[in-house]
Amino acid sequence: MKILRIFSLIAFMGLAAACQKQVPQSEVVRNAIAFCETFYDLDYAATKELVVPASLPYLSYMATNTTQELIDKVNAKGPVVVTVISEQMNPEEGHATVICSVKNYLKADFFNGTSAILSEKQDTIHLVKEGERWLVKMDNPLQSGMQNHD
């Protein structure tokens, strides 16, 4: 009888430990992963649903400058693989940061017309709370950092 109790206790502890590892992802993490997957796979229509309105002009620029050659490269390379390295969330202030590892992604330089499939990069995704949703606020690399004093 003692053996049955010990076995039952071990089985229960194992089951409890297995259940604890299956924590559902937060909306912040889900949206950061979905953003990376759609953005780096050049699926700008899907990406558009994950970003704040202020990021739409930059996304539009990216879509306008994406050539068929780039789309063919992305389609031939296979899917982007995204894993979360870390996340920081401040729900009271309505912002979060997720650092992701992005593997098998296309790096495109629209200014020089070059592109390459690279093995891995780390991307920092900034999200803000807009209403009930967490949306990505894209950093705009097109800004030169110079102020226009006109």
Side-chain angles (χ1 to χ4, degrees), residues 26-29 86-98 125-131 133-135:
S26 68
E27 181 185 3
V28 169
V29 170
S86 69
E87 66 175 291
Q88 292 181 333
M89 196 167 122
N90 189 335
E92 294 81 28
E93 293 184 19
H95 61 82
T97 302
V98 179
I125 310 300
H126 301 284
L127 297 99
V128 294
K129 185 87 173 199
E130 296 257 333
R133 296 187 63 208
W134 285 93
L135 300 174

Side-chain angles (χ1 to χ4, degrees), residues 1 4 7 39 43 46 54 57 59 67-68 77 79 113 115 131 142-143:
M1 191 67 160
L4 183 59
F7 179 74
F39 183 75
D43 185 356
L59 196 59
T67 64
Q68 186 61 47
K77 73 170 176 52
S115 65
L142 302 177
Q143 295 174 345

Side-chain angles (χ1 to χ4, degrees), residues 17-89:
C19 290
Q20 287 178 349
K21 292 179 184 177
Q22 297 176 355
V23 176
Q25 290 179 332
S26 68
E27 181 185 3
V28 169
V29 170
R30 281 193 315 270
N31 287 357
I33 291 170
F35 170 81
C36 287
E37 290 172 344
T38 59
F39 183 75
Y40 289 108
D41 272 340
L42 308 182
D43 185 356
Y44 299 127
T47 304
K48 182 176 141 182
E49 301 302 317
L50 299 166
V51 300
V52 296
S55 297
L56 292 176
Y58 175 61
L59 196 59
S60 177
Y61 171 82
M62 298 288 290
T64 302
N65 287 284
T66 299
T67 64
Q68 186 61 47
E69 177 186 350
L70 291 176
I71 293 169
D72 293 343
K73 272 188 180 182
V74 166
N75 289 338
K77 73 170 176 52
V80 168
V81 178
V82 180
T83 53
V84 173
I85 296 170
S86 69
E87 66 175 291
Q88 292 181 333
M89 196 167 122

